[in-house]
Amino acid sequence: MPSTALRICPLCEATCGLTLTVEGSRVTGARGDRDDVFSRGFICPKGASFAEADADPDRLKGPLVRKDGVLREATWDEAFDAVAAGLRPLIERYGAQAVGVVLGNPNVHTMAGGLYPPVLLGSLGTRNVFTASTVDQMPKHVSSGLLFGDAFAIPVPDLDRTDHLLLLGANPLDSNGSLCTAPDFPGKLKALRARGGTLTVVDPRRTRTAKLADRHLAIRPGTDALLLAAMTHVLFEEKLTDLGALEEQVEGVEDVREAVRHFTPDAVAAACDVPADTIRALARDLAAAPTAAVYARVGASTVAYGTLTNWLVDVLNVLTGNLDRPGGALFPLSATDREPRPAGPGKGFALGRWHSRVSRHPEAKGELPIAALAEEIDTPGDEAIRAVVAVAANPVLSAPDGDRLDKALASLDFMVSVDPYLNETSCHAHVILPPPPPSQSPHFDFAFNGFAVRNQVRYTRAALPLADGRMPETEILARLVLAGSGMHGADPAAVDTMVIDRTLGKAVTEPHSAVYGRDPKELAALLTGDSGPERRLDLMLRLGPYGDGFGGRGDGAVGLTLDRLLDRPHGIDLGPLQSRLPQVLKTRSGRVELFPAPIADDLPRLTDALRATPDELVLVGRRHLRSNNSWMHNVRTLTGGSNRCTLHVHPEDAARAGLENGGHARVQAAGGSLVVPVEVTDAVRPGVVSLPHGWGHDRPGTRLAVAAENPGANVNQLLDGTLLDPLSGTAVLNGFPVSLTALTDLAPTATR
Ligand code: SF4
């Protein structure tokens, strides 16, 4: 008889609750969990394919260790012996900087990825840290760091209550949202319109989201910052600013007024290709709406002015009084957030505390641009990276110039990958440590609850017992910590014990803490859970804002503990988002610093953009509902149909280049060229072509049978890695110049 098990979906940021069908030792189906307190039964095609993704026969079943140049099956002990033998001598000889750590996007979709990477980085002591953030969201982190003093204080649009939503470079009908965790994002947009609210979408493509909108502006890619600067100008010019309750909490308003003085709608209209009157109307509508939120994502972030764009998003939210008020943009309060401290000045946020070795890129949030990883490896020098620890990372496909990185990784003295697949990056590793499939892992969203449009907390234990020969991902990462820090062979539980002791030891010294003055050992003994990771989760929940404070919380607290959460398998609703200023601020002033110095220093670049001649043809990416970066291309039910790596070309551009629907084009850019099938469509504006990312599964040495059948082309191969948003180090993946050549000697391909 089949049984069921609950599992939070890890396949995108929406974190939907799933009800899995279990038959024997396999998951055979997935449907939306109607009783899930957050997702209420919503599911998308990716979630519905959970069983197939989980049972993918290409998933590695045990560790691989390179012997005589060939990756061979090995025991876990052999694998960790090889890790320790590979890493430690390099660290001892060349120092901590000889190791580069690369953390991929799936890290934030696993419980292990939420708990262990900080410990790993602390134990290795390297500053050569690269993550998916610098091909994605780093501009938002930097903007928030500068404005609010905390790179993780990211306001999200209050989708369920807002009257007016302005989306830039975001396509949640296909992505299901990002840095805004909202199961059934599409349904929330439809509900917004049904209750009389308005939706404006700014996007060079007529996406599915744009089709739903009241107004769609097909802006020229990369010019969102100009548009937002002009809207800010209009707010000042027409005396439409109204900070409301924020008035006393914000400094720098007059500086912003001065800074945007020359960004008039008429001045930016040509660059943006948006009429000046439309820009004025956007600003007036934003100011007039009872509540409103501005929200920008990947298409407006992975551009040359990514941080400026994200800064202006929140400038507009502030100037219209919409930051931190219901219906506007609010700061979530996650159950595992650190215990709220009293409001007041904080340490602030610093950029450029160190720089990359070769190109001197400044760090941001402790990270260096992933676009610089290849040169940090292949440029000789005493502090060159000689070993890489990659956790759930596939930068050969996700970072600029995969060919160079491919060669650089192949030249390393040592590389270890924690990865379920033998993919384009892990194929270079000397050791691969595969985590178990999602059905065999517990799940808690440490990251995404902090970006959720409603406060809630859910935890699902593993749906299936661990299969023979598998090791929990938490233990894999704990052992990796030990192997890299000279403690190879120690009990991995020691890592969790160390974190618990350290956390409690600090908490009891903080006067605002519910456990101030208590005995850490006594508190540690109170923790529950059937494993070290669960005890750590219990610790975070109990010390968090809804926690029981180990009995030290007064009235009003939810009294959250792991046991209480386990009693509520569909989760606990913690209510709509609330105003959180000024407590959330960690700036040195204790206020929102609306015009921080790094922004002021970067603004002249935006002024220069007013005078720049637009490129004739630029490329942007796109998402598909049945894809997520490079992850889902090996799941047969999600491939094919419209989910293909084709180049969208506007009919006018196609005619100019002599391209036909189903034909092939050579796309040329600064970093190289690609041959791709062409889809002629007016869903892109003239002067823009679109190619999805995460493709290019045709490299040798991988084991991704389904993906290899339709490998697609790696769009990042068009980049040479030099084009970055300077404040955040984020690669410019959208709006870079390309040229097209028709290839008439290749057979046509089928198009939709
Ligand atoms: S929307 Fe995201 S979280 Fe929800 S079912 Fe689909 S992939 Fe999973």
Side-chain angles (χ1 to χ4, degrees):
M1 265 300 275
S3 58
T4 59
L6 299 177
R7 176 58 156 93
I8 300 165
C9 180
L11 301 176
C12 89
E13 296 187 31
T15 72
C16 301
L18 303 180
T19 303
L20 305 179
T21 304
V22 176
E23 297 184 58
S25 60
R26 288 178 56 227
V27 173
T28 55
R31 62 179 195 276
D33 172 15
R34 287 174 196 273
D35 296 319
D36 184 282
V37 296
F38 194 30
S39 60
R40 305 282 178 200
F42 180 78
I43 191 169
C44 84
K46 289 195 292 292
S49 301
F50 181 97
E52 196 183 340
D54 196 66
D56 186 343
D58 282 340
R59 283 182 184 275
L60 299 174
K61 294 186 172 52
L64 300 180
V65 175
R66 195 173 293 277
K67 289 177 191 152
D68 303 324
V70 179
L71 282 166
R72 301 175 198 277
E73 290 176 9
T75 66
W76 287 102
D77 283 346
E78 287 168 341
F80 284 105
D81 286 348
V83 174
L87 279 180
R88 285 311 304 170
L90 289 172
I91 294 171
E92 280 155 20
R93 180 167 177 196
Y94 298 107
Q97 307 315 317
V99 180
V101 177
V102 186
L103 303 175
N105 179 259
N107 268 294
V108 285
H109 293 259
T110 67
M111 186 164 172
L115 290 175
Y116 294 90
V119 194
L120 179 68
L121 296 178
S123 68
L124 287 173
T126 179
R127 289 177 164 181
N128 283 317
V129 179
F130 308 84
T131 84
S133 290
T134 50
V135 281
D136 186 339
Q137 69 206 43
M138 189 60 91
K140 190 73 201 172
H141 287 301
V142 172
S143 162
S144 281
L146 295 171
L147 283 163
F148 313 125
D150 181 352
F152 287 95
I154 292 181
V156 299
D158 191 2
L159 295 182
D160 292 327
R161 292 180 289 185
T162 193
D163 297 291
H164 182 95
L165 189 58
L166 173 60
L167 299 185
L168 301 104
N171 180 15
L173 259 73
D174 282 337
S175 70
N176 282 306
S178 177
L179 289 185
C180 177
T181 289
D184 196 12
F185 206 131
K188 291 180 186 301
L189 294 184
K190 288 170 191 157
L192 159 70
R193 298 207 55 218
R195 65 177 178 265
T198 51
L199 172 66
T200 298
V201 171
V202 178
D203 198 308
R205 296 174 51 232
R206 194 172 66 255
T207 61
R208 291 174 64 223
T209 308
K211 286 179 191 163
L212 189 69
D214 299 273
R215 178 160 47 189
H216 169 218
L217 300 179
I219 193 170
R220 196 188 307 282
T223 63
D224 306 270
L226 289 172
L227 176 84
L228 298 178
M231 288 176 64
T232 308
H233 172 96
V234 174
L235 292 183
F236 284 118
E237 185 74 10
E238 300 188 6
K239 300 187 171 38
L240 297 175
T241 61
D242 179 3
L243 277 69
L246 297 172
E247 196 73 53
E248 298 302 315
Q249 307 200 53
V250 179
E251 63 177 40
V253 172
E254 287 308 306
D255 296 325
V256 174
R257 178 200 299 270
E258 197 53 41
V260 298
R261 194 174 288 282
H262 57 289
F263 293 105
T264 66
D266 292 301
V268 309
C272 300
D273 200 14
V274 176
D277 282 347
T278 303
I279 298 172
R280 290 189 187 93
L282 283 180
R284 289 168 191 155
D285 290 353
L286 187 70
T291 62
V294 186
Y295 165 79
R297 268 310 281 133
V298 173
S301 291
T302 53
V303 296
Y305 311 100
T307 303
L308 291 176
T309 305
N310 281 281
W311 165 69
L312 284 159
V313 162
D314 283 322
V315 165
L316 285 168
N317 284 329
V318 166
L319 294 178
T320 53
N322 282 304
L323 184 80
D324 200 45
R325 78 167 169 185
L330 289 150
F331 298 95
L333 184 59
S334 161
T336 52
D337 275 354
R338 274 166 291 177
E339 204 165 11
R341 65 179 188 91
K347 287 184 181 161
F349 175 78
L351 279 169
R353 292 166 297 172
W354 59 88
H355 292 75
S356 68
R357 177 179 64 97
V358 179
S359 293
R360 307 297 300 158
H361 295 299
E363 64 78 32
K365 197 170 68 64
E367 299 177 25
L368 298 172
I370 201 163
L373 174 60
E375 69 181 19
E376 291 296 323
I377 297 171
D378 67 18
T379 307
D382 287 347
E383 295 209 322
I385 292 176
R386 296 163 197 274
V388 160
V389 177
V391 184
N394 192 358
V396 170
L397 289 193
S398 60
D401 198 353
D403 282 351
R404 181 175 179 184
L405 193 52
D406 187 54
K407 291 190 188 79
L409 294 176
S411 74
L412 287 166
D413 291 346
F414 183 74
M415 176 174 169
V416 53
S417 269
V418 179
D419 207 289
Y421 287 106
L422 188 56
N423 64 26
E424 297 78 8
T425 295
S426 65
C427 69
H428 291 296
H430 297 80
V431 180
I432 305 180
L433 307 168
S439 61
Q440 296 174 32
S441 299
H443 191 87
F444 188 90
D445 280 300
F446 291 104
F448 298 126
N449 287 345
F451 308 131
V453 296
R454 192 171 174 93
N455 292 320
Q456 43 68 44
V457 59
R458 296 163 298 155
Y459 173 55
T460 47
R461 279 181 162 163
L464 293 174
L466 214 55
D468 281 351
R470 290 287 188 187
M471 181 178 280
E473 187 170 10
T474 47
E475 184 176 336
I476 292 172
L477 293 186
R479 286 182 185 268
L480 191 57
V481 169
L482 296 171
S485 59
M487 295 172 64
H488 174 51
D491 182 354
V495 176
D496 300 311
T497 302
M498 178 198 71
V499 174
I500 289 168
D501 290 349
R502 195 181 288 166
T503 306
L504 284 171
K506 184 163 184 283
V508 297
T509 66
E510 295 173 329
H512 67 272
S513 171
V515 296
Y516 178 59
R518 293 179 65 179
D519 176 6
K521 285 198 172 55
E522 172 226 331
L523 297 172
L526 295 174
L527 292 172
T528 64
D530 66 4
S531 63
E534 280 204 346
R535 292 176 72 234
R536 287 178 63 186
L537 175 58
D538 191 34
L539 171 70
M540 294 165 83
L541 293 171
R542 298 178 84 162
L543 284 182
Y546 309 95
D548 76 339
F550 292 85
R553 283 268 159 70
D555 294 342
V558 178
L560 199 57
T561 65
L562 177 63
D563 283 343
R564 286 189 188 173
L565 188 53
L566 287 168
D567 284 343
R568 306 279 289 276
H570 304 284
I572 299 174
D573 180 39
L574 298 168
L577 304 187
Q578 310 277 345
S579 300
R580 291 190 58 206
L581 290 180
Q583 184 274 324
V584 77
L585 299 175
K586 293 180 185 162
T587 51
R588 286 179 184 273
S589 63
R591 306 172 81 197
V592 176
E593 297 179 358
L594 206 61
F595 195 56
I599 292 289
D601 293 344
D602 198 30
L603 263 177
R605 269 196 324 124
L606 196 61
T607 304
D608 293 344
L610 288 172
R611 294 186 286 271
T613 306
D615 295 303
E616 198 172 303
L617 192 68
V618 296
L619 187 144
V620 299
R622 68 176 187 268
R623 270 289 285 269
H624 194 284
L625 180 59
R626 288 183 288 131
S627 196
N628 187 357
N629 304 329
S630 62
W631 305 5
M632 310 300 291
H633 295 158
N634 213 49
V635 179
R636 194 172 295 282
T637 52
L638 295 174
T639 59
S642 58
N643 186 18
R644 296 176 56 234
C645 184
T646 58
L647 186 76
H648 284 184
V649 187
H650 189 272
E652 290 174 18
D653 296 313
R656 195 174 304 119
L659 294 169
E660 290 185 355
N661 201 33
H664 286 81
R666 181 179 300 282
V667 189
Q668 181 80 45
S673 70
L674 298 172
V675 174
V676 286
V678 169
E679 256 187 280
V680 178
T681 169
D682 65 2
V684 284
R685 54 164 277 156
V688 176
V689 293
S690 170
L691 193 63
H693 77 281
W695 295 83
H697 305 288
D698 52 359
R699 291 181 185 273
T702 62
R703 198 182 300 164
L704 293 157
V706 175
E709 290 173 18
N710 291 294
N714 178 7
V715 65
N716 292 331
Q717 203 51 55
L718 296 170
L719 300 160
D720 63 9
T722 59
L723 215 51
L724 305 179
D725 168 38
L727 285 180
S728 67
T730 302
V732 177
L733 306 178
N734 283 288
F736 60 88
V738 296
S739 61
L740 301 181
T741 310
L743 298 178
T744 52
D745 52 346
L746 288 178
T749 55
T751 55
R752 279 180 295 154

